[in-house]
Amino acid sequence: HRESAGGHGNPDWLGLTLAIGLPVCVQLARNDRRRPLGIALIGVVLVGLYLSHSRTGWVAAAIATAVVFAAPCAKAATSTSTTSLLFAGPGLGGHLGAFHEADVGRAFAGRLWIYERSVEVVISHPILGVGLGRFGFGYLEEQGRALSLLKIPDAARGFVNATTAHDDYLQLACESGIPSAICFAVFLARTASALFSRATYGALGAVVAFAICALGDSPLRLPAPVLLLAL
């Protein structure tokens, strides 16, 4: 099958973007005046999410949507129509295509290996990290130490060229130290709290989706998710 990433460069990245945009689409559908638009966007986003085969995106979208449904249905939106439409816009990027789903066991084993090496980087550089943009260097150094303990054939098969930690909290801790990772988590928590107090539930769901995506991938290093977070 011909693969496509909806203009995002990678099917998983498309899934992350759609997961962050979905809660705002759901909130639009809960508003009487914008229901047709919200329902149309939800349909496109769900199709795009399915085709992306992004497991991280699926989990984030499900939990974030549940957050929006659990919130009271606000008749008066606290954000402007323009901002809401910009936030929901990624739903239009649900490009149709066919994707192959990677083997779950193999994918989990690969992520676990990357996480273990990333934790070792954090342990070696807990306060200042290895420097912005230098995750790959720190990771390869720790991976070299781990592979040196294996037999040569096993080491050759076990090598993983990870350009990110596939976890933004870990990556921040690797590059900028544990304090930076804590600041990022506090930023997301305070943002979510502020949106909840303002009854901006669609945007609240989007922040929750971003926080979950950051546990299993690297939305902080992708233009579209960062733009949505800024909005």
Side-chain angles (χ1 to χ4, degrees):
H1 298 286
R2 182 175 178 272
E3 292 192 355
S4 174
H8 290 261
N10 185 299
D12 285 329
W13 299 346
L14 170 64
L16 300 184
T17 303
L18 293 177
I20 296 168
L22 179 60
V24 182
C25 299
V26 172
Q27 185 61 24
L28 282 174
R30 299 185 76 198
N31 186 291
D32 293 335
R33 293 178 300 162
R34 305 173 190 173
R35 185 158 295 151
L37 174 63
I39 292 175
L41 286 171
I42 288 172
V44 177
V45 170
L46 290 179
V47 172
L49 270 173
Y50 170 73
L51 293 175
S52 75
H53 284 237
S54 171
R55 286 179 287 270
T56 301
W58 290 346
V59 172
I63 296 177
T65 301
V67 168
V68 177
F69 275 120
C73 185
K75 294 296 181 181
T78 57
S79 58
T80 65
S81 299
T82 302
T83 302
S84 297
L85 291 176
L86 284 172
F87 218 152
L92 300 176
H95 189 77
L96 302 183
F99 303 102
H100 296 290
E101 189 166 5
D103 177 73
V104 176
R106 182 180 178 184
F108 177 76
R111 289 290 179 89
L112 184 60
W113 174 267
I114 295 172
Y115 293 158
E116 290 173 345
R117 305 292 77 79
S118 299
V119 169
E120 291 168 359
V121 174
V122 176
I123 293 174
S124 299
H125 306 83
I127 305 301
L128 298 179
V130 295
L132 287 175
R134 294 189 58 82
F135 167 81
F137 296 98
Y139 167 81
L140 289 175
E141 182 176 345
E142 295 300 334
Q143 179 173 239
R145 293 194 181 101
L147 293 177
S148 68
L149 303 176
L150 304 177
K151 295 180 180 179
I152 294 178
D154 295 333
R157 287 191 294 268
F159 177 84
V160 177
N161 185 27
T163 56
T164 71
H166 290 81
D167 182 309
D168 273 337
Y169 306 97
L170 264 180
Q171 179 133 354
L172 276 170
C174 288
E175 292 188 347
S176 302
I178 295 175
S180 292
I182 294 175
C183 285
F184 176 58
V186 171
F187 159 72
L188 291 176
R190 288 182 63 91
T191 301
S193 176
L195 292 171
F196 179 79
S197 65
R198 294 176 57 190
T200 314
Y201 301 121
L204 169 63
V207 171
V208 170
F210 192 102
I212 296 172
C213 288
L215 285 170
D217 218 307
S218 302
L220 198 58
R221 280 149 182 80
L222 303 176
V226 170
L227 175 61
L228 290 179
L229 184 63
L231 287 173

